[in-house]
Amino acid sequence: MRVLAGAALVLLLLAVLVSAIGVVWARHESRVLFVELTRLQNERDDLNIEYGRLELEQATWAEPRRIDQEARSKLGMITPRPQDIQLVRR
């Protein structure tokens, strides 16, 4: 009976140690994942800021007044005279 009680005690002690190691490992993994989550959230925020800047730049480049100015200065385009305009109907 004493041997059985000693074996049960050793088995319970082993189970407690395995459980404690499991808890420590789970908490460590939780911290590692939290750090990764924080890093990814910061990266997401930086990308959102960059996306906003790119949208603003695109809107600036696509502004009709700017396109007209570039067409006139770089390509030498002009507004056609009324007699040069032909209406095409289908």
Side-chain angles (χ1 to χ4, degrees):
M1 187 73 146
R2 237 169 202 247
V3 173
L4 202 54
L9 184 62
V10 169
L11 186 62
L12 288 174
L13 181 60
L14 186 61
V16 167
L17 286 175
V18 169
S19 175
I21 290 172
V23 168
V24 169
W25 179 80
R27 288 182 60 92
H28 172 71
E29 283 298 310
S30 174
R31 287 183 180 132
V32 167
L33 291 173
F34 180 75
V35 168
E36 178 71 8
L37 173 66
T38 304
R39 185 187 67 77
L40 289 172
Q41 287 174 338
N42 289 337
E43 184 178 344
R44 179 205 58 202
D45 294 342
D46 292 342
L47 289 172
N48 281 336
I49 291 169
E50 179 67 18
Y51 181 72
R53 287 182 189 145
L54 290 173
E55 281 185 321
L56 181 60
E57 182 179 354
Q58 180 186 20
T60 301
W61 284 99
E63 186 176 298
R65 187 183 70 213
R66 187 186 172 289
I67 292 172
D68 183 61
Q69 180 185 12
E70 291 292 319
R72 290 177 189 278
S73 66
K74 290 187 178 177
L75 301 175
M77 299 178 100
I78 58 169
T79 303
R81 297 176 302 190
Q83 61 267 26
D84 294 334
I85 298 175
Q86 293 183 2
L87 182 60
V88 178
R89 292 188 179 163
R90 289 188 175 189

